[in-house]
Amino acid sequence: MTVYRDLSAIVGRTPLLRLRHASESTGCEVLAKAEFLSPGGSIKDRTALGLLLDAEQRGLIRTGGTIVEGTAGNTGIGLGLLGASRGYRTIIFMPETQSREKIDALRLTGADVRLVPAVPYKDLNHYAHQARAYAATLNNDDAGSAWFANQFDNTANRDFHEATTGVEIWEQTDGRVDGFVCSAGTGGTLAGVGRALKARRPDMRIALADPAGSALASYVNNGELVATGQSISEGIGSSRITANFEGAPIDLAWSIPDDESVPLLHRLLHEEGWCVGGSSGVNLAGAMRLARELGPGHTVVTVLADAGTRYQAKLFNPAFLREKNIPVPEWLARAFPA
Ligand code: PMP
């Protein structure tokens, strides 16, 4: 009998998928980890589990204690579900601009959700600062009662991806992988997988697919944090170098516009049946760019980070897409007539 005793046992070990259009049009094998199949619906379940296991091991969170975190949503959903299954309370600070579907999913986990204005990181009202300050207040009243997970600068995030996502990619491809590419929010996925793969094969190509409006591609290419444009993607891009991103072994970086990434994710759903979110579209665009850079015959891996249903009202809404000047495929316009 094979039985999993709780939620944490089925985080990770996601299937590796072949993306047909991306592979056929580049002459490469373009593969992706199906992270949207995780119990909380995203790759950030790994981050949540990695941070929580590290905190438990170090005695930073006590039985019945409170998890406090700032998140664009997915890490909060992972923490909320893991918290429920392990007997912790969860309090989440989140920018109010995030999708309704993610906010609802987070509330369903039982987390106490505090929506705050979306302001730059340098503003003390930024969601990450508010979460840190709130945990400190709880600990002032009752020492050791709260733990601030700190996904951006707690490198237990990157380390868990190095030990799980990166190793899984190596094993699932039997070591026949030439490059890995993804976008970065905290940078935990890219840095962790990059480290795992480079350690096994130093000439591995690691690439950043950065959404428009993020400063990270410019940082990798020119050493300067400069952002241009904007993107409807959520949970990715950054105006600063986090501790998780710092020192990541990145060889190439591109800024990817929405009118490149969103049509690719529409096509992925319509022709291959995978319904994924905006960051996965950016990852897919990046995987095709990396495949073209390497040339036919290579194998490129990326991640499908969460499900498209988490952004239904934006990514699959013809009126919203038209407002943003993103092409609306005919089948989508027919499925959702005005
Ligand atoms: N995709 C989605 C959907 C996310 O929620 C996040 C994290 N906020 C990322 C990608 C970025 O992953 P990481 O934090 O590991 O850079």
Side-chain angles (χ1 to χ4, degrees), residues 257-281:
D258 284 350
D259 61 6
E260 177 177 341
S261 64
V262 180
L264 286 171
L265 76 85
H266 286 155
R267 186 168 181 165
L268 186 68
L269 171 57
H270 194 56
E271 295 178 5
E272 299 178 56
W274 305 115
C275 181
V276 297
S279 75
S280 301

Side-chain angles (χ1 to χ4, degrees), residues 11-29:
V11 173
R13 294 185 300 277
T14 50
L16 186 63
L17 315 174
R18 178 175 190 267
L19 305 184
R20 190 175 64 223
H21 165 67
S23 298
E24 286 172 0
S25 65
T26 59
C28 287
E29 286 295 291

Side-chain angles (χ1 to χ4, degrees), residues 43-44 72 74 161 183-189 234-236 279 305-306 311:
I43 193 165
K44 302 300 296 205
N74 282 329
H161 279 291
S183 49
T186 66
T189 310
E234 297 183 21
I236 55 172
S279 75
D306 69 356
Y311 312 91

